[in-house]
């Protein structure tokens, strides 16, 4: 996925929210990256490091919170952990499964001093 | 540079208008006024609550004022999604059918569009937004087929986003009751995540690609409405199994429709035109 544009979006959101608070720096940002969100967390973190210069996030601690993927089988209703979107049900081998968690990609919070 | 797909800054894009002018856009003007005054130290007053909303915060030094945590819980794609909804409202208000065509490079999207325009232009007004990293070659090809086209060059970016479509719509007046084809940048990864405001998304694969492509790029097949399997005239010469590709894609997206097509010979074009006309 396109981690660089997503990193730029994060900077824009942080700029806007910091502006609302009347501050010019954010000390910490908590971002939730689900394992099934389609975002490569490592690539996203590298991209974010590239684009924070001269922004409110320049000195911010970036805290990525990984959320594991979870799913539910559409046939037998068994819930299970999903490593990828194409995992089959461990109980009945059915496919596809309904994704119940791990597709989040969002800014949870910003911390300002 | 994007580590996953190798693309660069997606905001350095330009839109060619048909008079040969183009605009450069850079949407990320950051503030450059920084407060570098970190010299104020406050004694920590233990009479007030030290409010920790999250347990993840690393070592706190206790010689500064309490931190303020702003809980946002904001989807990072929310701005793109907001603009996509605006585009969608514009299309609905003018009864424009907007179709987003996605595929890997070289699957035949532009040829499909040329043949579609030639077949429909006498009965429907058609407009095209072309997305490529560089050159206006595709827009030139489309215009020769008879439909107005506008080219967006994404520069080093690897997908179109809702803002680019919004700006392109300001440059090109799209008539009511028309079809607007948006030919996305050839890439089966990044465009999947970016809603442009289209009503329908069409993924094109060609038989010269692997028939396991749906499994390799599940997001794109899960987010599309129709899958065109193109270049079927080459099936005798390649190891592509249509059944295998269809089965994999249906496992990912049971609602996905399929049309087998050869834009070169015309096979499948009638089904495609029927599919478009019923929308």
């Amino acid at each position: 996925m396109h981690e660089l544009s997503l990193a730029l979006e994060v900077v824009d959101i942080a700029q806007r929210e910091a502006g609302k608070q009347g501050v010019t720096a954010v000390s910490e940002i908590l971002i939730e990256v689900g394992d099934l969100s389609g975002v490569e967390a490592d690539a996203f973190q590298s991209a974010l490091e590239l684009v924070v210069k001269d922004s409110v996030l320049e000195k911010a601690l970036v805290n990525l919170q990984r959320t594991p993927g979870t799913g539910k089988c559409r046939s037998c209703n068994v819930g299970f952990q999903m490593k990828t979107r194409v995992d089959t049900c461990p109980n009945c081998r059915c496919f596809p499964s309904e994704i119940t968690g791990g597709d989040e990609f969002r800014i949870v919070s910003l911390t300002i001093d | 540079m994007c580590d996953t797909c190798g693309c660069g800054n997606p905001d350095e894009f330009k839109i060619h208008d048909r008079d040969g002018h183009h605009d450069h856009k850079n949407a990320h003007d950051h503030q450059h006024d920084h407060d570098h005054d970190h010299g104020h130290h406050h004694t920590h007053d233990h009479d007030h609550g030290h409010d920790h909303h999250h347990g993840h915060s690393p070592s706190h030094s206790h010689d500064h004022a309490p931190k303020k945590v702003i809980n946002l819980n904001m989807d990072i794609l929310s701005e793109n999604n907001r603009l996509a909804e605006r585009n969608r409202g514009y299309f609905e208000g003018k009864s424009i059918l907007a179709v987003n065509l996605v595929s890997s490079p070289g699957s035949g999207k532009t040829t499909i569009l040329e043949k579609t325009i030639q077949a429909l232009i006498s009965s429907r007004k058609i407009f095209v937004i072309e997305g490529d990293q560089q050159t206006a070659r595709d827009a030139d090809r489309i215009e020769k087929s008879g439909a107005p086209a506008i080219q967006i060059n994404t520069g080093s970016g690897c997908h179109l986003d809702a803002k680019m479509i919004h700006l392109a719509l300001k440059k090109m007046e799209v008539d009511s009751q028309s079809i607007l084809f948006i030919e996305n940048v050839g890439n089966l990864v990044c465009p999947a995540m970016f809603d442009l405001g289209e009503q329908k998304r069409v993924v094109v694969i060609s038989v010269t690609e692997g028939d396991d492509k749906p499994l390799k790029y599940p997001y794109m097949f899960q987010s599309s409405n129709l899958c065109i399997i193109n270049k079927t005239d080459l099936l005798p010469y390649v190891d592509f199994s249509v059944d295998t590709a269809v089965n994999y894609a249906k496992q990912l997206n049971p609602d996905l429709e399929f049309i087998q097509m050869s834009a070169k010979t015309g096979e499948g074009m009638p089904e495609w035109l029927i599919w478009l006309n019923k929308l």
Side-chain angles (χ1 to χ4, degrees):
Chain A
M1 286 300 165
H2 195 9
E3 283 71 15
L4 188 60
S5 11
L6 300 172
L8 287 163
E9 280 296 325
V10 167
V11 172
D12 275 356
I13 293 169
Q15 292 280 129
R16 203 164 56 234
E17 293 301 323
K20 283 185 199 167
Q21 300 290 329
V23 296
T24 54
V26 169
S27 59
E28 184 179 342
I29 182 166
L30 174 62
I31 300 170
E32 182 177 11
V33 185
D35 284 350
L36 305 178
S37 66
V39 178
E40 282 296 325
D42 292 343
F44 170 71
Q45 184 139 23
S46 303
L48 196 54
E49 284 167 15
L50 287 175
V51 298
V52 293
K53 193 170 170 6
D54 295 337
S55 80
V56 295
L57 292 179
E58 183 162 13
K59 293 185 178 2
L61 174 73
V62 176
N63 206 330
L64 290 191
Q65 178 181 293
R66 304 286 295 270
T67 316
T70 53
K72 193 174 80 173
C73 178
R74 289 182 202 269
S75 297
C76 69
N77 277 331
V78 160
F80 59 97
Q81 289 237 331
M82 294 180 83
K83 286 201 173 74
T84 71
R85 284 182 170 245
V86 293
D87 283 2
T88 50
C89 169
N91 184 41
C92 70
R93 317 306 302 172
C94 272
F95 185 79
S97 307
E98 183 187 339
I99 292 167
T100 53
D103 56 352
E104 307 84 359
F105 182 51
R106 59 197 179 118
I107 299 179
V108 178
S109 64
L110 298 172
T111 305
I112 53 178
D113 287 331
Chain B
M1 167 123 18
C2 168
D3 289 358
T4 305
C5 66
C7 60
N9 188 340
D11 281 321
E12 290 170 4
F13 67 93
K14 61 188 178 186
I15 299 175
H16 295 258
D17 62 28
R18 302 317 297 159
D19 302 323
H21 301 113
H22 61 255
D23 289 345
H24 290 267
K25 301 291 175 191
N26 194 330
H28 289 272
D29 296 326
H30 300 307
Q31 291 173 15
H32 288 269
D33 50 332
H34 290 278
D35 182 5
H36 289 289
D37 181 11
H38 298 292
H40 51 276
H41 293 273
H42 301 284
T43 312
H44 200 92
D45 180 352
H46 287 282
D47 287 334
H48 64 75
H50 200 92
D51 198 6
H52 293 276
H53 290 285
H54 298 280
H56 56 272
S57 213
S59 60
H60 286 275
S61 64
H62 286 267
D63 60 347
H64 54 72
K67 292 167 184 293
K68 181 178 179 186
V69 177
I70 307 160
N71 289 308
L72 283 183
N73 288 321
M74 182 184 283
D75 187 330
I76 289 161
L77 283 167
S78 56
E79 179 64 12
N80 184 76
N81 293 341
R82 188 183 69 78
L83 283 170
E85 284 308 323
R86 269 181 69 168
N87 292 344
R88 192 168 282 116
Y90 176 82
F91 297 141
E92 284 176 10
K94 295 184 75 173
S95 299
I96 295 164
L97 170 62
V99 179
N100 180 8
L101 287 159
V102 293
S103 79
S104 18
S107 65
K109 291 190 299 300
T110 313
T111 305
I112 291 173
L113 279 183
E114 287 174 312
K115 298 293 174 85
T116 306
I117 291 162
Q118 288 160 12
L120 284 181
I121 198 71
S122 58
S123 57
R124 292 282 291 265
K125 283 182 180 166
I126 299 175
F127 295 82
V128 180
I129 295 175
E130 279 288 337
D132 281 300
Q133 286 200 322
Q134 300 291 339
T135 82
R137 294 172 72 97
D138 279 0
D140 292 343
R141 280 176 62 185
I142 293 299
E143 291 223 317
K144 281 180 188 151
S145 305
I150 190 163
Q151 180 83 47
I152 299 175
N153 282 148
T154 56
S156 45
C158 54
H159 64 275
L160 296 175
D161 64 30
K163 183 176 198 168
M164 295 177 192
I165 301 304
H166 172 71
L167 293 172
L169 290 169
K170 287 185 172 178
K171 285 264 181 188
M172 180 172 69
E173 180 73 25
V174 178
D175 292 351
S176 299
Q177 315 287 333
S178 61
I179 302 178
L180 172 66
F181 290 109
I182 303 167
E183 186 181 336
N184 218 312
V185 179
N187 179 345
L188 275 176
V189 184
C190 308
M193 208 165 187
F194 292 83
D195 183 8
L196 305 180
E198 74 270 22
Q199 282 100 325
K200 296 290 177 187
R201 185 175 291 185
V202 177
V203 59
V204 181
I205 56 172
S206 58
V207 303
T208 52
E209 303 168 44
D211 50 21
D212 56 355
K213 203 142 235 181
L215 291 185
K216 290 178 173 172
Y217 301 94
Y219 295 85
M220 195 60 95
F221 289 85
Q222 285 177 329
S223 67
S224 293
N225 305 101
L226 173 70
C227 174
I228 293 177
I229 300 173
N230 193 29
K231 306 189 188 179
T232 51
D233 54 299
L234 296 177
L235 272 173
Y237 312 106
V238 293
D239 291 329
F240 185 97
S241 161
V242 172
D243 286 346
T244 301
V246 168
N247 284 335
Y248 283 146
K250 272 196 166 167
Q251 284 174 4
L252 290 164
N253 179 357
D255 299 325
L256 191 63
E257 297 178 73
F258 296 87
I259 292 174
Q260 294 181 49
M261 181 186 288
S262 165
K264 188 176 176 183
T265 66
E267 184 199 344
M269 280 306 283
E271 290 90 332
W272 163 236
L273 299 179
I274 289 167
W275 189 87
L276 283 171
N277 279 323
K278 76 182 182 196
L279 295 174

